[in-house]
Short mmCIF file of all heavy atoms in Angstrom, two decimals:
data_model
loop_
_atom_site.label_atom_id
_atom_site.label_comp_id
_atom_site.label_asym_id
_atom_site.label_seq_id
_atom_site.Cartn_x
_atom_site.Cartn_y
_atom_site.Cartn_z
N ASN A 845 21.25 -73.89 68.39
CA ASN A 845 21.03 -73.43 69.75
C ASN A 845 19.55 -73.41 70.08
O ASN A 845 18.70 -73.19 69.24
CB ASN A 845 21.70 -72.07 70.00
CG ASN A 845 21.05 -70.95 69.24
OD1 ASN A 845 19.83 -70.89 69.13
ND2 ASN A 845 21.84 -70.04 68.71
N GLN A 846 19.24 -73.65 71.33
CA GLN A 846 17.85 -73.78 71.76
C GLN A 846 17.04 -72.48 71.63
O GLN A 846 15.91 -72.53 71.20
CB GLN A 846 17.79 -74.31 73.19
CG GLN A 846 16.40 -74.73 73.60
CD GLN A 846 15.79 -75.79 72.69
OE1 GLN A 846 16.48 -76.68 72.20
NE2 GLN A 846 14.52 -75.69 72.41
N PRO A 847 17.59 -71.28 71.99
CA PRO A 847 16.78 -70.07 71.84
C PRO A 847 16.31 -69.84 70.41
O PRO A 847 15.17 -69.45 70.19
CB PRO A 847 17.71 -68.95 72.31
CG PRO A 847 18.66 -69.62 73.24
CD PRO A 847 18.85 -71.01 72.67
N ALA A 848 17.18 -70.09 69.43
CA ALA A 848 16.78 -69.89 68.04
C ALA A 848 15.68 -70.85 67.65
O ALA A 848 14.71 -70.50 67.00
CB ALA A 848 17.98 -70.05 67.11
N LYS A 849 15.79 -72.09 68.05
CA LYS A 849 14.77 -73.09 67.75
C LYS A 849 13.45 -72.68 68.41
O LYS A 849 12.40 -72.77 67.82
CB LYS A 849 15.24 -74.47 68.23
CG LYS A 849 14.29 -75.58 67.91
CD LYS A 849 14.23 -75.88 66.45
CE LYS A 849 13.49 -77.19 66.23
NZ LYS A 849 13.03 -77.34 64.88
N THR A 850 13.52 -72.21 69.63
CA THR A 850 12.31 -71.79 70.34
C THR A 850 11.64 -70.63 69.60
O THR A 850 10.43 -70.63 69.43
CB THR A 850 12.65 -71.38 71.78
OG1 THR A 850 13.23 -72.51 72.43
CG2 THR A 850 11.42 -70.95 72.54
N ALA A 851 12.41 -69.65 69.15
CA ALA A 851 11.84 -68.51 68.42
C ALA A 851 11.15 -68.98 67.15
O ALA A 851 10.13 -68.43 66.75
CB ALA A 851 12.94 -67.50 68.08
N PHE A 852 11.68 -70.01 66.51
CA PHE A 852 11.09 -70.54 65.29
C PHE A 852 9.77 -71.25 65.58
O PHE A 852 8.84 -71.21 64.78
CB PHE A 852 12.08 -71.51 64.63
CG PHE A 852 11.59 -72.12 63.35
CD1 PHE A 852 11.57 -71.38 62.18
CD2 PHE A 852 11.19 -73.44 63.31
CE1 PHE A 852 11.14 -71.93 60.99
CE2 PHE A 852 10.76 -74.01 62.12
CZ PHE A 852 10.74 -73.26 60.96
N ASP A 853 9.68 -71.91 66.72
CA ASP A 853 8.53 -72.76 67.03
C ASP A 853 7.40 -72.10 67.82
O ASP A 853 6.31 -72.63 67.86
CB ASP A 853 9.00 -73.99 67.82
CG ASP A 853 9.76 -74.97 66.96
OD1 ASP A 853 9.48 -75.04 65.76
OD2 ASP A 853 10.64 -75.66 67.50
N LEU A 854 7.63 -70.96 68.43
CA LEU A 854 6.65 -70.43 69.37
C LEU A 854 5.80 -69.29 68.84
O LEU A 854 5.59 -68.31 69.53
CB LEU A 854 7.36 -70.00 70.67
CG LEU A 854 7.92 -71.14 71.51
CD1 LEU A 854 8.56 -70.60 72.76
CD2 LEU A 854 6.85 -72.16 71.85
N ARG A 855 5.28 -69.41 67.65
CA ARG A 855 4.33 -68.42 67.14
C ARG A 855 2.93 -68.88 67.53
O ARG A 855 2.60 -70.06 67.35
CB ARG A 855 4.42 -68.32 65.62
CG ARG A 855 5.67 -67.69 65.09
CD ARG A 855 5.48 -66.30 64.57
NE ARG A 855 4.26 -66.02 63.89
CZ ARG A 855 4.17 -65.53 62.66
NH1 ARG A 855 5.26 -65.32 61.96
NH2 ARG A 855 3.01 -65.26 62.12
N PRO A 856 2.08 -67.98 68.02
CA PRO A 856 0.74 -68.42 68.45
C PRO A 856 -0.13 -68.93 67.30
O PRO A 856 -1.06 -69.70 67.52
CB PRO A 856 0.14 -67.16 69.08
CG PRO A 856 0.93 -66.02 68.52
CD PRO A 856 2.30 -66.57 68.23
N ASP A 857 0.18 -68.52 66.06
CA ASP A 857 -0.63 -68.93 64.92
C ASP A 857 0.04 -70.04 64.10
O ASP A 857 -0.37 -70.33 62.99
CB ASP A 857 -0.90 -67.73 64.03
CG ASP A 857 0.36 -67.04 63.54
OD1 ASP A 857 1.41 -67.21 64.17
OD2 ASP A 857 0.28 -66.32 62.53
N LEU A 858 1.06 -70.68 64.67
CA LEU A 858 1.80 -71.73 63.96
C LEU A 858 0.95 -72.99 63.82
O LEU A 858 0.29 -73.42 64.76
CB LEU A 858 3.08 -72.06 64.73
CG LEU A 858 3.98 -73.11 64.11
CD1 LEU A 858 4.61 -72.58 62.83
CD2 LEU A 858 5.05 -73.52 65.10
N HIS A 859 0.97 -73.55 62.64
CA HIS A 859 0.29 -74.83 62.38
C HIS A 859 1.31 -75.77 61.75
O HIS A 859 2.00 -75.39 60.80
CB HIS A 859 -0.89 -74.62 61.43
CG HIS A 859 -1.46 -75.90 60.90
ND1 HIS A 859 -2.25 -76.72 61.66
CD2 HIS A 859 -1.30 -76.52 59.71
CE1 HIS A 859 -2.59 -77.79 60.95
NE2 HIS A 859 -2.02 -77.69 59.75
N VAL A 860 1.42 -76.99 62.27
CA VAL A 860 2.28 -78.00 61.70
C VAL A 860 1.39 -78.98 60.94
O VAL A 860 0.47 -79.56 61.51
CB VAL A 860 3.11 -78.72 62.78
CG1 VAL A 860 3.99 -79.81 62.15
CG2 VAL A 860 3.96 -77.73 63.57
N GLU A 861 1.67 -79.14 59.64
CA GLU A 861 0.86 -80.02 58.78
C GLU A 861 1.04 -81.47 59.25
O GLU A 861 2.15 -81.92 59.52
CB GLU A 861 1.29 -79.88 57.32
CG GLU A 861 0.37 -80.53 56.34
CD GLU A 861 -1.03 -79.95 56.38
OE1 GLU A 861 -1.18 -78.72 56.30
OE2 GLU A 861 -1.98 -80.74 56.48
N THR A 862 -0.05 -82.21 59.35
CA THR A 862 -0.01 -83.57 59.89
C THR A 862 -0.16 -84.65 58.83
O THR A 862 -0.03 -85.83 59.16
CB THR A 862 -1.11 -83.76 60.95
OG1 THR A 862 -2.38 -83.50 60.35
CG2 THR A 862 -0.89 -82.83 62.14
N GLU A 863 -0.41 -84.27 57.59
CA GLU A 863 -0.57 -85.29 56.54
C GLU A 863 -0.21 -84.72 55.18
O GLU A 863 -0.01 -83.52 55.03
CB GLU A 863 -2.00 -85.84 56.53
CG GLU A 863 -3.07 -84.78 56.34
CD GLU A 863 -4.47 -85.34 56.52
OE1 GLU A 863 -4.68 -86.19 57.40
OE2 GLU A 863 -5.35 -84.91 55.76
N GLY A 864 -0.12 -85.60 54.20
CA GLY A 864 0.11 -85.19 52.83
C GLY A 864 1.56 -84.85 52.54
O GLY A 864 2.48 -85.13 53.31
#
Side-chain angles (χ1 to χ4, degrees):
N845 69 40
Q846 192 57 37
K849 183 69 168 162
T850 301
F852 181 75
D853 287 330
L854 291 181
R855 290 255 323 236
D857 57 339
L858 181 69
H859 169 76
V860 179
E861 191 61 51
T862 59
E863 57 188 38

